Amino acid sequence: MFQVPDIGDLNIWATLPVLILAIWACLLLVADLFIPQERKSLTAGLAAAGIGLSLVLSLLSLTDVIDLSGSDPVLQGLFLADHFTDMINVIALVTALLGVMVAYDYLQRTGIQRGEYYVLLLFVTSGVMFMGAAGDLTVIFIALELLSIPLYILSGFRREQAQSEESAMKYFLLGAFASSFLVYGIALVYGATGTTSLQGVWTAVDQIVADADSTRYLLLVGVGLVLVGLGFKVAAVPFHMWTPDVYQGAPTSVVAFMSVAAKVGGFAGLLRVLAGGVPNFMLDAGDAAAWQSTIWLLAILTMLLGNIVAIAQSDLKRLLAYSSIAHAGYILIAVAAAGLPGEGPEAVQAILIYLLAYTFTNVGAFAVIIAVERNDTSNTGLDAVRGLSRSNPALAAAMALFMFSLTGIPLTGGFIGKWFVFRSAISADLMGVALVGVLTSAISAFYYLRVVWAMYFEDGDSEASTPWPLAWAIGISAVGTLILGILPYLATDMAKGITLAFGH
């Protein structure tokens, strides 16, 4: 018979960073009702304060200054309070803080300043944090919906524009379709293992592999469907169709936040399932995980399509949309590497370092687009940055840095991220996949450096507006990109020793 657990046994204090943020979002939703329209900046400040408090707690936990979890299970194993969770929390909260800063002026000058924007942003961030801490497949599903539904709303936040409405509807319909795959996959995994607990799945897989019966094929299909659901969220090919249209139609401040937050949440869930729940799932003893070949194939397709199609783009938002698809492919290389026994910890650390570098780089690039974009959402094409080095040298230098980082040029965070991802692939004997990653990075240099060329070597009448919150967001992103490139040990020290597989 089901018994309600005693609250003292739940170890709820270990959830404090995400619990504070989720409660803060609920309180802010009520408080915003009493804040007059002309003072909605107060809502932004309160949102940033809640993010900052949660970020401090996450950093203290990550650096072992405080131990929130202790040795007891959290929420009866539904929540995993480990350093992987802490690292995902830090990345998600930095993204949220930058997201508030880039939205502050954008919402005002485009006439869509409404307090619920920041509340929805906090709920998305809570979903990402729960995804990183998920110890059960049902928690992954709930966290995914908490992450996704506010993003659907934010995509259509500029509701007076048909393009924004269209992007929200497309994102919602395809997202709901992907969620159904995820739920069906979870059901099949449960049917094969008799549990939705990731630790229970890990234990059951050993027996399934030892018995070598037909149950393993049921589990294989279930894991495949889970991959479809989460592959949509990270924009991996062929589940990427929503990305270009949503990125182009949604408000740019939303895209700056969403382009990183959705990826962090999706990969956190994917790693919890593949590198945590089923790293020991092999069709034949001694081989790599049964899902590894599918992942590296998706990685190759994603890198090729993202980089090749990006060459033809003239709109900066669509260009960065295909760039985002390509970067999902690079991260998938390390996910595939985690499928080889013994390579999981190194691959997970590589992904976390990559996501941290990508956070600063991508939010910074979209922040520059916000600076040159007009209030009617026009002027996001390549013409918007022609001659920018002469009208705003600092902004052009920042954009050049972000383009160099996305390309993977040394002394930038993007180079460090790719270095660790390719190294994990080589360690896992995925030389061919690593080679495709290097070649597609060379292809990407064409369209990234084309932006730099337009800023420095072409004539134009670029105009930019950089009020202090946006300027600070660009500055923080630029400094973060440089620091990770010059002092990579700061990121490697944070990610050191992180592992996901149970029993290790």
Side-chain angles (χ1 to χ4, degrees), residues 392-415:
N392 198 321
L395 195 63
M399 189 59 158
L401 174 63
F402 300 138
M403 294 298 103
F404 293 151
S405 183
L406 288 170
T407 306
I409 291 176
L411 299 182
T412 64
F415 171 77

Side-chain angles (χ1 to χ4, degrees), residues 424-500:
S424 70
I426 294 170
S427 298
D429 295 326
L430 296 175
M431 289 292 297
V433 186
L435 181 60
V436 173
V438 173
L439 293 176
T440 52
S441 292
I443 293 173
S444 72
F446 174 80
Y447 60 85
Y448 288 133
L449 298 184
R450 185 175 62 180
V451 177
V452 179
W453 179 273
M455 291 190 298
Y456 283 90
F457 300 105
E458 294 184 8
D459 294 326
D461 54 353
S462 297
E463 296 180 0
S465 172
T466 52
W468 71 264
L470 184 62
W472 271 93
I474 295 171
I476 292 171
S477 298
V479 170
T481 301
L482 275 175
I483 287 179
L484 289 176
I486 298 171
L487 303 173
Y489 66 85
L490 295 177
T492 57
D493 285 352
M494 286 194 292
K496 186 184 297 182
I498 294 177
T499 184
L500 292 179

Side-chain angles (χ1 to χ4, degrees), residues 28-308:
L28 187 60
L29 183 62
V30 176
D32 181 64
L33 297 173
F34 302 96
I35 298 175
Q37 182 62 36
E38 64 274 10
R39 299 190 62 192
K40 290 300 181 184
S41 58
L42 181 58
T43 306
L46 291 172
I51 294 168
L53 178 59
S54 185
L55 178 59
V56 169
L57 284 172
S58 297
L59 283 170
L60 292 176
S61 181
L62 179 62
T63 54
D64 292 320
V65 175
I66 60 174
D67 182 9
L68 292 174
S69 61
S71 58
D72 297 326
V74 183
L75 301 181
Q76 296 190 320
L78 295 175
F79 189 102
L80 300 176
D82 53 20
H83 279 337
F84 178 82
T85 296
D86 294 330
M87 190 71 174
I88 290 294
N89 287 353
V90 169
I91 297 172
L93 290 164
V94 169
T95 304
L97 195 57
L98 292 172
V100 170
M101 296 171 73
V102 300
Y104 181 83
D105 175 70
Y106 181 86
L107 299 182
Q108 288 184 333
R109 65 184 174 89
T110 55
I112 55 173
Q113 176 77 302
R114 295 188 290 273
E116 59 266 30
Y117 180 98
Y118 303 104
V119 176
L120 292 168
L121 185 145
L122 294 188
F123 279 129
V124 172
T125 308
S126 300
V128 176
M129 295 168 73
F130 275 119
M131 186 78 87
D136 194 282
L137 291 171
T138 56
V139 176
I140 287 179
F141 171 67
I142 294 169
L144 182 67
E145 295 307 297
L146 180 59
L147 153 65
S148 301
I149 294 173
L151 281 180
Y152 303 151
I153 300 169
L154 287 172
S155 297
F157 208 72
R158 199 160 188 173
R159 55 178 180 256
E160 69 278 2
Q161 285 198 340
Q163 197 175 32
S164 181
E165 291 279 322
E166 179 187 351
S167 71
M169 185 58 68
K170 186 172 293 186
Y171 194 16
F172 166 69
L173 291 175
L174 291 176
F177 190 61
S179 293
S180 65
F181 277 95
L182 177 65
V183 174
Y184 194 16
I186 291 172
L188 292 181
V189 172
Y190 175 76
T193 63
T195 180
T196 56
S197 165
L198 290 177
Q199 184 167 9
V201 169
W202 180 81
T203 303
V205 165
D206 278 339
Q207 187 62 45
I208 291 171
V209 172
D211 292 344
D213 59 19
S214 59
T215 305
R216 57 183 177 166
Y217 298 108
L218 180 63
L219 179 61
L220 184 65
V221 175
V223 172
L225 291 176
V226 170
L227 174 59
V228 171
L230 296 176
F232 170 87
K233 193 51 61 181
V234 302
V237 174
F239 319 114
H240 68 287
M241 293 81 70
W242 60 276
T243 311
D245 292 337
V246 172
Y247 276 40
Q248 187 174 26
T252 311
S253 63
V254 174
V255 181
F257 170 69
M258 174 177 65
S259 65
V260 177
K263 220 170 228 63
V264 173
F267 276 111
L270 202 58
L271 288 172
R272 281 295 186 191
V273 174
L274 298 183
V278 291
N280 51 343
F281 177 38
M282 305 167 189
L283 294 180
D284 295 305
D287 288 348
W291 43 264
Q292 187 196 56
S293 57
T294 301
I295 297 294
W296 66 249
L297 178 60
L298 290 180
I300 291 174
L301 292 175
T302 304
M303 289 185 292
L304 287 173
L305 184 141
N307 284 303
I308 292 173

